[in-house]
Amino acid sequence: MERAARDAIETLLGFVRTLRAAGVGADTGRAAAFLRAVDTLDVTRPEPVYWAGRLTLCSHGADLARYDACFAAYFGGAAPAAAEHARPLATTAPAMWNPPASDDTDTDTDTTGLAAGDTEVLRTADIAALTREERAAVARLVSRISADRPRRRTRRLEPAVHGRLDHRRMLRSALRTGGEPLRLPRRHRSTRPRRVVLLVDISGSMAPYADALLRLAHVVVRGHPRHTEAFSVGTRLTRLTPQMRLRDPAAALAAVADAIPDWSGGTRLGTELKEFLDLYGRRGTARGALAIIASDGWERGDAALLGTQMARLARLAHRVVWVNPHKAQPGYAPLTAGMRAAWPHIDDFVSGHSLDALEQLATAVIGGRREGGVHRA
């Protein structure tokens, strides 16, 4: 994406954040609609952008006055009438409507472009290469990913507009109309949520990625609480589902940190996968589920045992997804003993090394949707 386009998108999203700070309920869906509308307009003219924002970002009459005040302040430089609990509003007018009068370097414009570039780099950078503050920023962004519910088809049929003809309903309806079937009711197979099981490696070699992966697990549990189970694996198996069900990400991760006794230890995937299958798999937790294992495959135990347990898991689960952050490295090959043992039983092998990769995991594998994906459209 060109720098000018990134600057324009960052500016418009800054306006959306300003509206939220002023109390306007401009949620992510409305922000996406706003960007799609502006994409068809001439962004160098304020009038079309004003109406595009007014029509897409305001949800009721009380928003209009706040919207007008924020628009005048953000794009015209006037002070807005902020809400009581509003955060400080942006005071820098967007460069696209206030171009510099001379060829001199514009500090605000450069700052905006650098921020947009940093954000873009943060999305694609390997989490292990980031500073502690950058990892914290990525972790907050991971918590914003919205994971939808994967579903599975059942044998039960339900009324539908399309599908096979429902002869019983058609005959009962015909009895009420003198034997003439005036309606042709139809039905199709219903769907139910598919269970998701996450096993997150929290050993020392996975320490740089553990926080982001656990936050993604929290996103999945939060969006699918009745049909998701989360565990940590290291030197022992720990069930984290009760802690993950806390709504607040910070509270949930704090509870998870207290619950895990073997942070940054070794990895005995084979032993712990056997324990998981013995305790939970046969009782239905893994049967027909989407099983996601996040690990680099550095098995310290018996690799043959890991292969045997992976075969058991593959027979029980609907699909087995392995998330290995090292997959993104140039020239990577699954040569470790653990990865070689697990490889024949893996359906999907993904990286999960960056924010983008985690979003793709939530979108493509779990079935979620990318929140704020219009940033990079």
Side-chain angles (χ1 to χ4, degrees), residues 3-348:
R3 178 174 176 176
R6 293 200 305 269
D7 289 349
I9 292 175
E10 187 65 24
T11 298
L12 295 172
L13 291 177
F15 175 55
V16 173
R17 290 192 289 270
T18 301
L19 287 175
R20 291 173 182 163
V24 177
D27 58 17
T28 303
R30 290 183 176 277
F34 174 50
L35 292 182
R36 285 196 298 271
V38 171
D39 188 46
T40 65
L41 303 173
D42 180 6
V43 296
T44 61
R45 297 176 54 221
E47 292 84 2
V49 177
Y50 169 83
W51 285 108
R54 180 164 169 150
L55 292 173
T56 56
L57 298 174
C58 299
S59 57
H60 53 77
D63 290 343
L64 298 180
R66 296 171 184 168
Y67 177 85
D68 289 344
C70 289
F71 191 89
Y74 192 84
F75 293 116
E84 183 179 355
H85 301 292
R87 291 176 294 180
L89 303 183
T91 56
T92 304
M96 58 185 179
W97 292 342
N98 295 282
S102 67
D103 292 338
D104 294 340
T105 303
D106 189 309
T107 304
D108 290 341
T109 304
D110 287 348
T111 302
T112 302
L114 181 60
D118 287 347
T119 303
E120 194 68 19
V121 170
L122 207 60
R123 299 182 67 86
T124 57
D126 192 317
I127 294 174
L130 300 178
T131 64
R132 183 175 180 179
E133 292 75 15
E134 289 171 335
R135 287 182 194 173
V138 168
R140 288 194 294 272
L141 291 172
V142 170
S143 294
R144 295 180 56 197
I145 296 176
S146 180
D148 208 344
R149 302 180 178 185
R151 302 188 71 84
R152 62 179 176 86
R153 298 179 69 186
T154 68
R155 296 179 182 274
R156 186 181 299 276
L157 298 175
E158 63 181 7
V161 176
H162 304 288
R164 68 181 68 175
L165 199 60
D166 189 339
H167 296 91
R168 291 185 178 180
R169 289 177 59 207
M170 183 182 69
L171 291 175
R172 286 197 299 269
S173 175
L175 290 176
R176 295 192 292 271
T177 57
E180 189 70 23
L182 299 181
R183 294 176 59 249
L184 296 178
R186 298 182 180 276
R187 57 182 180 171
H188 66 186
R189 291 173 63 179
S190 62
T191 62
R192 296 188 62 185
R194 182 178 296 283
R195 190 183 305 277
V196 179
V197 177
L198 298 109
L199 300 168
V200 180
D201 185 348
I202 45 82
S203 64
S205 60
M206 286 289 291
Y209 306 98
D211 185 49
L213 291 169
L214 287 171
R215 282 184 179 262
L216 181 64
H218 175 253
V219 166
V220 179
V221 174
R222 186 180 60 189
H224 198 187
R226 294 180 54 192
H227 299 86
T228 306
E229 290 285 345
F231 300 85
S232 70
V233 291
T235 57
R236 64 178 64 184
L237 179 73
T238 305
R239 184 171 180 261
L240 303 176
T241 307
Q243 292 79 11
M244 290 285 187
R245 284 176 178 162
L246 295 175
R247 191 73 185 168
D248 180 62
L253 269 293
V256 165
D258 292 337
I260 297 178
D262 54 340
W263 280 102
S264 300
T267 310
R268 296 186 302 167
L269 282 174
T271 304
E272 292 167 13
L273 193 54
K274 182 178 185 303
E275 181 181 353
F276 164 73
L277 292 172
D278 290 343
L279 291 177
Y280 303 99
R282 290 184 179 276
R283 294 192 304 183
T285 300
R287 192 177 301 278
L290 175 65
I292 301 174
I293 300 175
S295 173
D296 55 6
W298 286 97
E299 171 69 351
R300 298 296 181 89
D302 185 358
L305 176 62
L306 175 59
T308 302
Q309 301 310 313
M310 283 295 295
R312 287 180 63 193
L313 178 62
R315 288 194 294 270
L316 285 171
H318 169 65
R319 295 187 71 80
V320 178
V321 179
W322 192 291
V323 184
N324 188 336
H326 299 321
K327 177 180 181 291
Q329 297 177 0
Y332 171 80
L335 299 179
T336 61
M339 286 308 310
R340 288 204 307 270
W343 188 259
H345 313 291
I346 297 173
D347 295 302
D348 298 293

